[in-house]
Amino acid sequence: MQKNNSKSSVAKAFSGIFRNQLFIPIAALLLLALFNFIMDPSFFAISFGHNSAGNPVLSGRLITILDNGSELAILAIGMTLVTAASGGQDISVGAAIAIAGSVILRVLCGGQVSPEHLQAPIIVGFLAACIVAMLFGAFNGVLVAYFKIQPMVATLILYTAGRSIASWINNSQLPIVNEPKFGYFGGLIPGIPIPTPFIIAVICMIVMALVLKFTNLGLYTQAVGINESSSKLNGLNPKFIKLLSFIILGLCVAVAALIKVSRVSTINYSVVAKDIEMDAILAVALGGNALSGGKFSMPASIIGAYVIQFLTTTLYKFNVRADALPAYKAAVIILLVVLSAPVVREKLSSLGKKLKSGTRVKEVG
Amino acid sequence: MQNVDFTLCEGEIHALMGENGAGKSTLIKVLTGVYEKDEGEIFLKGMNKAAVIRSPQDAQKLGISTVYQEITLCPNLSVAENMYIARGKGAGQNWKKMNADADKILKSLDIPAKATQQLSSCSIAIQQMVAIARAVDMDCKVLILDEPTSSLDEQEVQKLFGLMRDLKKRGVGIIFVTHFLDQVYEVSDKITVLRDGKLVGEYEIETLPRVKLVAKMLGKELDDMEEIRDDSLVYKGKDADETVFEAKGLQSNAGIKPFDFYIKRGEVNGFTGLLGSGRSECVRAIFGADRMLHGEVKKNGKKIKISKPIDAMKNGIAYLPEDRKIDGIIGDLSVRENIILALQVLKGFFKPFTKAQAYKFADEYIKLLEIKTASADTPIKSLSGGNQQKVILARWLLMNPEYLILDEPTRGIDIGTKIEIQKLVLKLASEGMSVTFISSETDEMLRTCSRLVVMRDRKVVGELSGEDLTQNKIMSTIAGGDR
Amino acid sequence: MKDKKSSSGGISIGARIKGMSDTNLLLVITIIVFFVMYIGAMVFQGGSFLKPQAFLNILNQQAALIIVSCGLSLVMITGGIDISVGGVVALVSMSCAVYLDYLGGNIVVSILIALAIGLAFGLVQGYLVAYLEIQPFIVTLAGMFFARGMTTIVHTNPFNVANEKFVKLKDTRITIPFLGSNNAKGMYIPAYIEIGVIVALVIVIVFFCLLRWTKLGRGFYAVGGNQYSALMLGINVKRTKFISHLLSGILAGIGGFVYFLHIGSGSPSHATGMEMDAIASSIIGGTMLTGGVGNIIGTFFGVLSLSTIQNIVALAGLDEPWWIGITRAAMLCLFLVVQSIIIANKNKD
């Protein structure tokens, strides 16, 4: 009896693992890691050295992944909330990054193309970007929550206009920041060998984790996403919660924009954060969150974001051209999504059963 | 559901009875190809092989047509299209003929709708009638009616029964699922009872009196069907005469006429009237679920303002909504989260309960109300209707309200749970809670309420209490006074 | 109920609007707005708007978008979305360009290539969405990535096609009598349209009829209106969804060739953002992303409205590059808000 029990509990634990939302993104991550390990173990080498400025620096592909995946991970946080609350996605985050980045440069350069000194403290520029990005988030949120327009369509407006607005803010100029301190956010802080973007991303994650733990944001968002009318009768204000999720995403956008413009100390309106909205949505989906809203898992989305970055870095390593990258990415995405589709899983499990029973019959025969 | 035999003869009306979760819906969904069966076979007249039904189309082709409890029509299409879509041969769509045919049928069945009207502009009752019209017109051999009457009023139900008898004469076999015992005895020939997914038995209607039927459904004898109220269940506190809640000239944007209303401590009262008479709209106005246009409300003699549900909740008013699926449950969330939700919202955004607290609350109420669930973490959508309703009830009881509004708490749930809920209402009232109870079944209201507000055409037309509380008096008040 | 009867005695505009289906109401709004806008432009801006050729040029430029938008509307009516169309158009252009120029192929085969690419995308995406039940957004997003990536794999740099036969076909003009105008020197220039326009118009008519007068077409609406109900009504929901994606893929293929025929070159940056233009056109044309509501004629006018507003802005001297983006977005915003308000008011009842 006991043996049986322990067996079934093992089976239960296994099926629990399979059913866990984190299973797919983690499995994907491990699969990618394994692939790279077989192809070239040096992929995982991390070396410690000093860069040209004499600062200590960690380097290696894993560090690159953590560094470059930061913006995506930060966006995935906000996108998860928006998806859960509104049952739709914000496709304007790339354009919004262009706007927020443009605002930062406008404030820091004060309208000049390449000023010798900063015209305003960096924090002022960042706060201005936060406010602007949250306002645009609120614009999307109002369209979705109060005018009841589907999120993808509502954010299509800003997607179309965003990069134009960004270029309008700086009068079509491309300002350059000459202050080395500004580069810290997208590069390294002297004395700390870990890339700053990753540190910022971790701070965002911790803040979000604390918010989810010490407020009811998670419960409310899920309740609204699953059943709006019922939430309303339970005293919630579904419209406000949807709006809130878009505003939080706006904040994430501002942080990502700071990293983006800091990396290059300037901006290219039509290229900055291009297609990042697609990656962010993908991160949410890879995390096993239903794109139709409702229940969500924040860690799963964040791991999803790093899976995408891992994939990108892997492809670069195999000398895939940057503009051909999407084709390979697409193939991998489809593979992952197909494998995680409930229909496919069901079929596979029934196939497995059939095979098992088939072998048993053979044994008997 | 396992191992159920079911036989339907030509030209009979066969009632399928059972508590919620007994497997009626599952049986029907297997018959119509929505669910796949693991074992067993389905045979149809004139076929010596087992029928293959893998999808609703297959069922439709074999002459099985179905009307489901929930409206399964497309709201964006016209009435005529909803009646004719996915039927007939050819790839083309002949609008003229279709509209003409549809109008003819609508007229013959007295359905007040036009063929070209968009379905979403019809009321729920008319939509249900359209669904029935579609099923009837399909020239079917088997007609399955799954709770078709829950959104119809008395007249429409009679019309439906007339139709069923007609079809019976023409040799159509009808499977009839309902929770209303009266209706079963009015039209059915045979009854099949299911319990816990298993077959209990098949009976001729004459051989199975009501009490026995209920016993078969519950699996136990029922001694307390009739009288559940007695003197021990009356609130006897000192403040029994105090008015807990009072509304004057209340009117919401849901289209009801202004009404006055009050309830005393420990009192159970109710709104009665036909479907669509504005019962739910009244209580929704009290709770702030619809926008208030005029009127003033007082709580314990103090004037308060209720503009949204949270205002009412802060004043100790709780509201269990009419439509459990749309307004009640939050399907993907766990039983625990569903139970604590209202109290949590009341407590505030920045003060979440700890997990331990939430489990404590949930477990307490799961035990108290005997909610059948695998655990507190089970998603509420996988519970049966009656148990879902208990969870919603638990949600509001947890808030410990002074004034509890129950809008159709017994709709679509099994008899056992119905009586449990009625008893609970009386017990709560005896402990000093004021309860407003609404039900379409008058006898339920007579058993629980000590005062009834009668509504007609979205207006309060009378109030009955004491000796006036009889079936006849209610009927005559609803129908229009003293004639 | 009683109130309704008494008020419908006199037929007011309000009552008429109430009686209309959502699809027809939105269609009427779109058409009215287009004409008001165009006539307004003729009156206040005059200039080239007064010449019929200006209108025909819109058609010439937007023929491909019209075709692609038709396919997208179809998917949207069914309740899905297809954002791969822009990528497919680029891939078709590039593939045909490479085939015609480097491999010296003939035009019929290049048309077949275009169709085959569209068909392939339609088949795969349709299968994944309909039968494996994966969210259409994700599937077609991957489709878009794949098509864009493949385009650069086929050929990296933009180039013009010099194939003689093709250039001849590309420059073919179908003149329309009586609609010409005199140029500055007083010479009569006949009005013309390109071949692509004919293709686009045929497709608009065919798909309008398909949606209106066939059972398959009504099935699209039913599935978009309520998928579960459609299943219960006996519609093969999976097949319907599959066909909608299949048709969208094929139309993207055809649209790709028409685009190629108009522009005469292959480039990885071709048709950038075309999927968003197509979605915007469909929405302006009264298709709702929630499904079940929409009309091909509306989509046609949606495309025309979108490019008319661009012309108006350009002609008004607002030629800074950001203006076009901003006005298009503003127009989309306006339409969305107006639609949402009208539908909300109508359903209040």
Side-chain angles (χ1 to χ4, degrees):
Chain A
M1 264 311 271
Q2 255 186 345
K3 232 184 190 176
N4 238 345
N5 266 346
S6 68
K7 230 186 204 171
S8 72
S9 73
V10 167
K12 233 183 207 170
F14 259 105
S15 76
I17 290 172
F18 278 111
R19 240 177 271 150
N20 194 315
Q21 225 187 323
L22 288 174
F23 173 71
I24 286 287
I26 289 180
L29 203 59
L30 290 179
L31 219 70
L32 276 170
L34 188 71
F35 174 77
N36 275 304
F37 187 75
I38 294 167
M39 297 306 283
D40 178 11
S42 74
F43 189 92
F44 296 97
I46 293 176
S47 61
F48 185 78
H50 294 271
N51 65 3
S52 52
N55 291 322
V57 56
L58 284 172
S59 56
R61 289 220 167 74
L62 284 184
I63 302 296
T64 315
I65 292 169
L66 291 181
D67 182 3
N68 291 343
S70 311
E71 293 98 317
L72 194 54
I74 293 168
L75 287 179
I77 293 174
M79 192 67 86
T80 308
L81 285 179
V82 165
T83 302
S86 69
Q89 289 73 39
D90 184 341
I91 57 168
S92 71
V93 288
I97 286 180
I99 295 175
S102 189
V103 168
I104 294 177
L105 292 178
R106 173 73 223 244
V107 172
L108 296 188
C109 297
Q112 301 170 41
V113 178
S114 180
E116 297 260 324
H117 303 286
L118 289 184
Q119 305 293 307
I122 295 172
I123 182 77
V124 174
F126 175 61
L127 286 180
C130 284
I131 291 168
V132 171
M134 280 157 78
L135 278 179
F136 278 106
F139 170 75
N140 286 335
V142 166
L143 287 180
V144 171
Y146 293 88
F147 287 99
K148 297 192 177 12
I149 299 170
Q150 307 96 307
M152 259 201 56
V153 182
T155 53
L156 181 63
I157 296 169
L158 197 55
Y159 174 92
T160 325
R163 290 175 195 277
S164 300
I165 295 173
S167 121
W168 171 67
I169 289 172
N170 271 309
N171 226 339
S172 295
Q173 288 167 344
L174 307 174
I176 298 164
V177 178
N178 291 317
E179 170 71 40
K181 269 188 191 156
F182 183 65
Y184 290 172
F185 300 100
L188 291 163
I189 298 172
I192 301 174
I194 302 166
T196 325
F198 180 63
I199 298 175
I200 297 177
V202 169
I203 292 172
C204 288
M205 290 174 211
I206 292 172
V207 168
M208 197 63 223
L210 291 177
V211 167
L212 286 177
K213 176 130 179 76
F214 291 107
T215 72
N216 282 312
L217 185 68
L219 180 67
Y220 288 10
T221 309
Q222 298 186 42
V224 168
I226 297 166
N227 188 337
E228 189 176 336
S229 135
S230 174
S231 318
K232 198 177 151 202
L233 287 177
N234 277 297
L236 292 175
N237 184 347
K239 288 177 182 166
F240 178 72
I241 286 165
K242 282 187 193 172
L243 179 62
L244 186 67
S245 73
F246 276 93
I247 293 176
I248 293 174
L249 178 57
L251 197 58
C252 296
V253 162
V255 176
L258 176 69
I259 298 174
K260 271 279 186 238
V261 287
S262 167
R263 281 187 199 276
V264 288
S265 288
T266 181
I267 194 166
N268 181 338
Y269 306 113
S270 56
V271 177
V272 64
K274 195 163 177 289
D275 289 342
I276 203 169
E277 54 274 354
M278 303 301 173
D279 279 351
I281 296 169
L282 213 53
V284 175
L286 269 182
N289 300 301
L291 291 187
S292 49
K295 282 192 86 87
F296 69 85
S297 157
M298 198 57 87
S301 291
I302 293 169
I303 296 173
Y306 283 109
V307 169
I308 292 168
Q309 194 57 45
F310 206 125
L311 178 63
T312 312
T313 308
T314 307
L315 289 172
Y316 275 133
K317 182 183 170 283
F318 287 97
N319 291 326
V320 171
R321 272 200 326 267
D323 43 7
L325 199 70
Y328 298 92
K329 234 187 202 173
V332 177
I333 291 163
I334 283 296
L335 194 73
L336 284 176
V337 180
V338 165
L339 284 179
S340 62
V343 179
V344 180
R345 278 202 219 178
E346 232 168 68
K347 273 187 188 159
L348 284 180
S349 75
S350 73
L351 196 71
K353 268 183 205 161
K354 262 183 206 165
L355 281 179
K356 249 186 204 165
S357 62
T359 51
R360 209 175 289 151
V361 170
K362 259 182 207 162
E363 274 165 19
V364 172
Chain B
M1 188 185 75
Q2 32 178 299
N3 220 354
V4 174
D5 300 324
F6 182 78
T7 322
L8 177 73
C9 301
E10 223 172 85
E12 77 171 9
I13 299 178
H14 196 136
L16 191 57
M17 303 292 293
E19 289 200 277
N20 262 28
K24 295 168 308 210
S25 302
T26 317
L27 175 61
I28 284 169
K29 287 193 171 156
V30 169
L31 285 179
T32 51
V34 181
Y35 294 159
E36 264 181 58
K37 57 183 185 328
D38 298 324
E39 258 174 53
E41 285 172 330
I42 302 169
F43 292 95
L44 284 171
K45 188 195 159 198
M47 288 173 69
N48 37 17
K49 266 199 314 201
V52 183
I53 303 177
R54 286 220 192 83
S55 67
Q57 292 107 285
D58 292 345
Q60 208 167 299
K61 271 181 212 144
L62 290 168
I64 302 174
S65 56
T66 317
V67 177
Y68 296 93
Q69 179 180 11
E70 69 270 37
I71 308 269
T72 52
L73 298 175
C74 295
N76 59 326
L77 300 183
S78 75
V79 168
E81 279 193 89
N82 269 300
M83 287 167 64
Y84 285 96
I85 201 157
R87 290 172 53 189
K89 282 174 197 137
Q93 169 89 291
N94 187 342
W95 287 86
K96 246 188 191 163
K97 184 172 177 303
M98 182 179 78
N99 285 337
D101 288 353
D103 266 331
K104 218 190 287 165
I105 297 164
L106 291 172
K107 213 172 167 195
S108 73
L109 296 181
D110 271 341
I111 303 172
K114 268 188 293 189
T116 52
Q117 208 176 348
Q118 191 172 327
L119 188 82
S120 60
S121 66
C122 302
S123 70
I124 296 292
I126 291 177
Q127 293 188 21
Q128 188 66 288
M129 294 296 284
V130 170
I132 293 168
R134 173 188 166 94
V136 168
D137 186 51
M138 284 220 295
D139 223 8
C140 50
K141 286 181 241 158
V142 178
L143 175 64
I144 303 175
L145 299 169
D146 184 2
E147 300 253 12
T149 54
S150 52
S151 58
L152 304 186
D153 66 25
E154 192 53 36
Q155 260 184 332
E156 287 162 329
V157 169
Q158 285 310 323
K159 221 184 285 169
L160 175 64
F161 285 172
L163 204 62
M164 284 165 72
R165 292 190 188 102
D166 265 6
L167 289 170
K168 182 175 140 181
K169 269 183 215 144
R170 285 195 303 199
V172 177
I174 300 175
I175 302 176
F176 182 46
V177 180
T178 181
H179 274 111
F180 300 103
L181 294 185
D182 291 342
Q183 297 179 357
V184 172
Y185 282 92
E186 201 174 332
V187 288
S188 310
D189 304 313
K190 268 189 204 155
I191 300 178
T192 289
V193 180
L194 298 179
R195 190 172 64 234
D196 295 334
K198 287 180 195 127
L199 181 72
V200 175
E202 188 188 299
Y203 311 93
E204 294 289 333
I205 196 105
E206 299 85 29
T207 63
L208 193 71
R210 223 170 264 228
V211 183
K212 268 196 181 159
L213 169 62
V214 173
K216 296 260 191 252
M217 285 163 65
L218 292 177
K220 60 182 176 207
E221 294 299 324
L222 198 75
D223 46 13
D224 43 12
M225 259 298 274
E226 284 312 316
E227 198 56 50
I228 53 174
R229 189 169 57 190
D230 61 50
D231 280 344
S232 72
L233 288 173
V234 172
Y235 179 61
K236 294 191 185 79
K238 262 186 248 159
D239 45 1
D241 256 357
E242 271 174 32
T243 303
V244 170
F245 178 88
E246 194 178 356
K248 275 223 168 75
L250 193 60
Q251 190 184 12
S252 75
N253 65 346
I256 39 165
K257 307 267 156 37
F259 69 98
D260 298 340
F261 177 78
Y262 72 93
I263 189 163
K264 292 189 169 160
R265 194 170 304 281
E267 187 187 4
V268 182
N269 69 4
F271 283 93
T272 184
L274 296 175
L275 197 94
S277 61
R279 301 177 308 211
S280 301
E281 284 78 358
C282 282
V283 286
R284 282 179 69 92
I286 292 171
F287 190 65
D290 295 324
R291 197 157 47 83
M292 189 173 131
L293 299 178
H294 302 290
E296 64 172 53
V297 284
K298 279 186 188 161
K299 176 79 197 306
N300 293 334
K302 247 179 39 202
K303 212 173 143 185
I304 56 168
K305 196 172 167 291
I306 296 179
S307 54
K308 35 187 192 310
I310 187 78
D311 300 337
M313 286 159 66
K314 278 183 187 148
N315 281 300
I317 303 175
Y319 168 62
L320 183 137
E322 181 183 14
D323 194 319
R324 183 176 64 238
K325 248 191 216 153
I326 294 175
D327 291 333
I329 64 167
I330 299 192
D332 288 315
L333 289 188
S334 66
V335 169
R336 165 175 52 94
E337 285 163 315
N338 268 289
I339 288 180
I340 64 159
L341 186 61
L343 188 61
Q344 179 69 79
V345 172
L346 206 54
K347 200 175 166 208
F349 183 77
F350 292 103
K351 292 174 191 157
F353 286 122
T354 61
K355 268 216 158 142
Q357 274 173 316
Y359 274 113
K360 204 185 122 243
F361 287 140
D363 291 337
E364 187 187 326
Y365 276 89
I366 287 174
K367 221 164 138 196
L368 187 75
L369 299 182
E370 293 171 3
I371 299 170
K372 279 182 205 137
T373 169
S375 78
D377 291 321
T378 316
I380 191 172
K381 64 177 177 188
S382 56
L383 268 55
S384 75
N387 283 310
Q388 289 181 359
Q389 192 69 291
K390 283 186 187 172
V391 172
I392 309 296
L393 199 58
R395 173 193 291 167
W396 293 114
L397 292 182
L398 183 62
M399 210 184 94
N400 196 15
E402 254 181 287
Y403 175 28
L404 176 65
I405 304 169
L406 302 173
D407 192 355
E408 299 267 13
T410 56
R411 177 196 280 190
I413 63 177
D414 53 83
I415 294 185
T417 316
K418 275 183 185 179
I419 291 170
E420 267 176 63
I421 288 180
Q422 291 164 30
K423 278 185 178 166
L424 183 72
V425 164
L426 290 173
K427 186 168 155 279
L428 290 169
S430 74
E431 288 159 13
M433 195 184 285
S434 311
V435 183
T436 293
F437 185 92
I438 297 179
S439 167
S440 339
E441 293 180 53
T442 337
D443 54 330
E444 267 183 22
M445 301 201 55
L446 286 174
R447 275 206 297 273
T448 47
C449 301
S450 56
R451 184 162 59 89
L452 285 180
V453 178
V454 185
M455 300 208 57
R456 184 175 66 235
D457 293 339
R458 307 188 160 247
K459 220 163 83 186
V460 172
V461 290
E463 198 179 292
L464 302 171
S465 61
E467 293 186 351
D468 285 341
L469 278 181
T470 61
Q471 199 94 1
N472 284 341
K473 190 77 190 169
I474 294 173
M475 288 302 164
S476 67
T477 318
I478 288 174
D482 306 317
R483 267 173 295 156
Chain C
M1 280 305 289
K2 268 182 190 164
D3 293 346
K4 220 178 180 180
K5 261 181 195 163
S6 61
S7 73
S8 66
I11 298 171
S12 64
I13 294 175
R16 274 214 184 147
I17 287 176
K18 282 222 156 121
M20 248 186 230
S21 70
D22 294 349
T23 299
N24 291 344
L25 180 62
L26 293 179
L27 174 67
V28 168
I29 294 172
T30 306
I31 294 177
I32 290 174
V33 167
F34 170 72
F35 279 106
V36 166
M37 205 161 68
Y38 204 88
I39 292 167
M42 283 164 88
V43 173
F44 293 108
Q45 286 190 321
S48 66
F49 270 110
L50 292 173
K51 293 180 189 160
Q53 185 61 41
F55 178 74
L56 296 180
N57 275 345
I58 292 180
L59 286 179
N60 287 337
Q61 280 155 19
Q62 306 295 348
L65 183 60
I66 292 171
I67 297 170
V68 167
S69 302
C70 284
L72 202 67
S73 297
L74 217 62
V75 177
M76 281 166 69
I77 288 170
T78 322
I81 186 93
D82 185 350
I83 54 172
S84 71
V85 288
V88 174
V89 165
L91 180 59
V92 165
S93 303
M94 187 58 102
S95 306
C96 291
V98 168
Y99 172 74
L100 287 173
D101 231 35
Y102 288 72
L103 308 171
N106 72 27
I107 288 172
V108 177
V109 177
S110 73
I111 293 175
L112 288 180
I113 290 177
L115 283 174
I117 293 174
L119 187 72
F121 272 84
L123 278 174
V124 174
Q125 293 181 159
Y127 180 77
L128 292 176
V129 170
Y131 292 99
L132 296 189
E133 292 170 18
I134 305 170
Q135 288 149 334
F137 188 87
I138 293 296
V139 170
T140 57
L141 176 67
M144 176 181 97
F145 279 167
F146 187 73
R148 286 274 169 210
M150 280 310 287
T151 310
T152 60
I153 290 172
V154 170
H155 195 89
T156 322
N157 301 316
F159 67 98
N160 283 318
V161 174
N163 184 311
E164 276 175 31
K165 277 184 194 153
F166 173 75
V167 172
K168 207 174 147 199
L169 186 70
K170 169 177 153 32
D171 290 338
T172 306
R173 300 277 185 268
I174 299 159
T175 53
I176 300 174
F178 314 121
L179 279 182
S181 55
N182 297 325
N183 70 358
K185 288 176 191 160
M187 218 164 76
Y188 181 79
I189 300 168
Y192 69 89
I193 50 173
E194 292 173 15
I195 297 173
V197 177
I198 307 278
V199 179
L201 291 178
V202 168
I203 283 174
V204 166
I205 292 166
V206 166
F207 278 83
F208 172 75
C209 294
L210 175 86
L211 279 179
R212 181 92 185 123
W213 283 297
T214 68
K215 288 189 174 149
L216 176 69
R218 302 318 292 175
F220 289 143
Y221 284 94
V223 171
N226 187 332
Q227 197 177 316
Y228 179 72
S229 292
L231 178 73
M232 293 305 199
L233 288 174
I235 289 169
N236 192 334
V237 173
K238 288 180 179 174
R239 202 187 63 185
T240 310
K241 279 188 181 176
F242 177 72
I243 293 174
S244 76
H245 277 275
L246 185 67
L247 289 176
S248 170
I250 294 173
L251 285 182
I254 298 174
F257 193 80
V258 169
Y259 184 89
F260 176 56
L261 198 59
H262 176 74
I263 212 152
S265 64
S267 159
S269 64
H270 271 350
T272 311
M274 194 183 203
E275 57 278 345
M276 295 304 165
D277 280 348
I279 294 174
S281 305
S282 294
I283 289 166
I284 292 174
T287 309
M288 295 183 91
L289 206 67
T290 38
V293 178
N295 194 308
I296 295 295
I297 301 287
T299 304
F300 176 69
F301 279 102
V303 174
L304 295 187
S305 302
L306 204 61
S307 61
T308 305
I309 195 87
Q310 282 172 31
N311 289 358
I312 291 175
V313 169
L315 232 104
L318 304 172
D319 47 2
E320 298 276 8
W322 60 69
W323 275 112
I324 288 186
I326 292 177
T327 37
R328 270 162 60 185
M331 181 161 168
L332 184 62
C333 180
L334 187 78
F335 259 85
L336 284 171
V337 171
V338 167
Q339 275 180 16
S340 113
I341 291 172
I342 288 174
I343 294 289
N345 275 332
K346 187 172 168 247
N347 292 343
K348 220 182 219 166
D349 192 20

